[in-house]
Amino acid sequence: MNKVIGSIPYSVGLRPVNPGDAESEKKAYAYVQTREVVDNLMLAQHIKEHGSPFSVGTLRGVIDDVCECVSEMLLMGNRVQLEGLGTIYVTLASEGADDAESFTAAMITRVRPRMAFDEGFRTLLQTADFEYVTSRKSQAEAKKAEKLALNEVLGVVSDGGSDTGSGDGDTPGVTE
């Protein structure tokens, strides 16, 4: 049995059933509400909180070195398997050539980073709990309304502050 660590926050927004046709019928879909972006320092601090005997600085250095070395390994044509998480690799997009002899590296148009997650990690994600949260747009509107109401009680004329937000930054095209 997997230990429950937290719940994935989600909101609900309307999106077209056919993403290629903005005018198609819309339905309600869930989307993740990202709480924060965790950088290398924050990750090091989190690892330290789990009882690591290493300092945050040492952990940060190791994480930075891992990131640099993964990049080097990928640029050398290797796949990097982070056991318990997945395998990072790159794929190529290219123009087609009439035959192998006429193909040149100049025909490669893009390098695409990819990650194939380990089955154990995928299984862990499927056991996740979920927590419904209001959209960032709704949160911003509520914050503004609360500030206006407080200012009204105080007899202060105000525009409610500038924290209006523009909705969900992670899910373009989502409407509430």
Side-chain angles (χ1 to χ4, degrees):
M1 178 129 212
N2 292 319
K3 178 173 88 169
V4 175
I5 297 171
S7 297
I8 297 174
Y10 75 96
S11 293
V12 176
L14 300 178
R15 291 193 303 237
V17 172
N18 177 358
D21 178 8
E23 299 303 316
S24 70
E25 173 189 9
K26 291 183 171 58
K27 289 194 176 185
Y29 294 94
Y31 57 94
V32 173
Q33 279 284 1
T34 301
R35 286 193 169 107
E36 64 184 319
V37 175
V38 177
D39 63 15
N40 289 2
L41 176 59
M42 294 166 73
L43 182 57
Q45 290 168 332
H46 181 80
I47 292 169
K48 180 68 176 172
E49 290 170 6
H50 278 271
S52 172
F54 302 105
S55 71
V56 170
T58 298
L59 292 165
R60 168 72 190 264
V62 170
I63 293 168
D64 288 348
D65 286 350
V66 167
C67 291
E68 184 178 328
C69 290
V70 166
S71 298
E72 289 175 12
M73 292 289 112
L74 295 173
L75 288 169
M76 293 169 49
N78 297 315
R79 289 176 175 238
V80 179
Q81 183 177 6
L82 301 174
E83 296 169 11
L85 187 60
T87 302
I88 304 170
Y89 59 98
V90 296
T91 62
L92 304 175
S94 65
E95 299 170 11
D98 292 333
D99 56 64
E101 291 174 359
S102 62
F103 187 88
T104 67
M107 298 172 83
I108 297 172
T109 57
R110 192 172 352 161
V111 178
R112 295 181 178 136
R114 300 282 193 231
M115 182 154 188
F117 291 99
D118 288 350
E119 192 57 39
F121 182 70
R122 287 177 182 272
T123 300
L124 174 67
L125 287 178
Q126 296 308 311
T127 65
D129 288 332
F130 301 96
E131 172 191 1
Y132 177 78
V133 297
T134 58
S135 69
R136 282 187 281 284
K137 180 179 180 182
S138 295
Q139 291 171 27
E141 289 169 355
K143 185 187 289 184
K144 183 175 182 178
E146 183 176 87
K147 287 179 180 182
L148 286 170
L150 290 172
N151 284 343
E152 187 175 309
V153 169
L154 294 171
V156 177
V157 177
S158 169
D159 68 357
S162 60
D163 314 28
T164 56
S166 61
D168 179 68
D170 292 340
T171 312
V174 172
T175 57
E176 305 310 316

